[in-house]
């Protein structure tokens, strides 16, 4: 038989996205919202900033032109916002592209990648797609086991991914633990802090990954416009790293990897601090509300620093997920955590519908 792909590509199970609203609507034969609510992909329930929508619309009339390949306006807006140099920023078609670019740029031969399990599945997918070997380190409870991850780093390790807060668990690693980890591993190992949910984190010891760059130049921070900025559909993320490393990533990055629409919307979204603040505040209120209500239902919840929570339904979660779908509520069941549902926080109305459906399903 012809071997079409490498053994590692053979091993890939395709990424399972949160079930789209349209698909559930077709299945149930109902209209999309308000009949169906999606709390499955950690999107911003308030939608995009109106400023970002306007900027994207204005850009549409110019889409016969290629975008500026280096995203200069967005990079300088980000540089100002973050207090870093524009030449230290690479923007990507979602942070997903950047995670993959880091692997493609920096891992060759049998250089390994270390990450936690369960954590963001893209690390594993990208390693398999590019034939890069990896070591998965089990979480301790629901949190990254940084001492075990440090022990898993070997002379062949090139990259370590740490999702902080972690997806799917919502937990975080604190400043002290992260400092100890960075001190324990060799300086030629790049540590990628995937901070997709950083803007939601409230724990006093939650560290802004950018603060480690002085102490550890090889720290790379990756963030996204998909979550608090509400631009998941436009695909936009960024990474901050030393200028020398950014130069290498730029050699591998495809030209025009970020659309002109995404670039313009990103600049506008960054400016709309009020929308970010409203989104953060809603999330904080709704997290407390859901925690309280779920506890009253006798369900335990993993403490979360993100815009979703992991709920223990104490029975096979796949069945609960399916039953919730028939109530028009889309959440997420995760194979590595068979009794847990991951529920994104929505608006108060969405969260109340979710609770009512859970109540009906769990009895
Ligand atoms: C959602 C998420 C991302 C964002 O991916 P995009 O490609 O930017 O949409 C990255 N990392 C983690 C851990 C996430 O949960």
């Amino acid at each position: 038989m012809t071997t079409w792909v490498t053994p590692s590509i053979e091993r890939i199970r395709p990424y399972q996205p949160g079930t789209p609203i349209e698909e559930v609507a077709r299945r149930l034969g109902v209209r999309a919202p308000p009949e169906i609510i999606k709390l499955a992909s950690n999107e911003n329930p308030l939608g995009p900033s109106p400023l970002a929508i306007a900027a994207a619309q204005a850009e549409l009339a110019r889409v016969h032109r290629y975008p500026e390949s280096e995203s200069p306006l967005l990079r300088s807006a980000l540089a100002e916002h973050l207090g870093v140099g524009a030449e230290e920023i690479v923007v990507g078609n979602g942070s997903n592209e950047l995670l993959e670019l880091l692997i493609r740029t920096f891992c060759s031969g049998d250089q390994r990648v270390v990450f936690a399990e369960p954590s963001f599945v893209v690390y594993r997918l990208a390693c398999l797609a590019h034939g890069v070997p990896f070591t998965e380190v089990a979480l301790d409870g629901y949190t990254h086991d940084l001492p075990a991850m440090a022990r898993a780093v070997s002379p062949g390790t090139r990259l370590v991914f740490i999702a902080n807060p972690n997806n799917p668990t919502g937990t975080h690693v604190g400043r002290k633990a992260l400092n100890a980890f960075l001190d324990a591993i060799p300086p030629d190992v790049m540590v990628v802090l995937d901070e997709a949910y950083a803007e939601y984190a409230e724990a006093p010891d939650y560290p802004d990954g950018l603060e480690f760059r002085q102490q550890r130049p090889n720290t790379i921070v990756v963030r996204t416009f998909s979550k608090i900025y509400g631009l998941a559909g436009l695909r936009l993320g960024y990474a901050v790293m030393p200028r020398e490393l950014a130069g290498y990533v730029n050699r591998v990055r495809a030209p025009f990897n970020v659309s002109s629409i995404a670039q313009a919307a990103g600049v506008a979204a960054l400016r709309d601090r009020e929308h970010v603040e409203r989104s953060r505040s809603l999330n904080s209120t709704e997290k407390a509300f859901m925690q309280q209500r779920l506890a009253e239902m006798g369900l335990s919840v993993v403490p979360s620093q993100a815009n979703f929570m992991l709920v223990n339904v104490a029975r096979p979660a796949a069945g609960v997920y399916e039953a919730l779908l028939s109530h028009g509520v889309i959440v997420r069941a995760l194979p590595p955590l068979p009794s847990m549902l991951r529920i994104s926080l929505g608006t108060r109305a969405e969260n109340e519908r979710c609770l009512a459906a859970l109540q009906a399903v769990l009895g």
Side-chain angles (χ1 to χ4, degrees), residues 94-96 99 120 123 163 167 194 196-197 224 226-227 235-237:
S95 55
N96 202 311
L99 299 168
F120 194 39
Y123 313 145
N167 177 8
D194 179 354
Y197 304 98
T224 183
S226 296
K227 306 291 157 60
R235 314 303 302 124
L236 185 61

Side-chain angles (χ1 to χ4, degrees), residues 82 175 193 195 198 205-213 221 223:
L82 303 169
R175 181 172 290 112
L193 299 171
E195 299 187 338
D205 71 334
Y206 175 77
D208 176 337
L210 295 173
E211 72 188 49
F212 299 106
R213 296 181 338 124
V221 173
R223 295 197 188 137

Side-chain angles (χ1 to χ4, degrees), residues 61-73:
R62 288 190 286 272
V63 290
H64 58 305
R65 302 289 178 203
Y66 280 100
E68 287 198 83
S69 186
E70 312 290 325
S71 303
L73 298 182

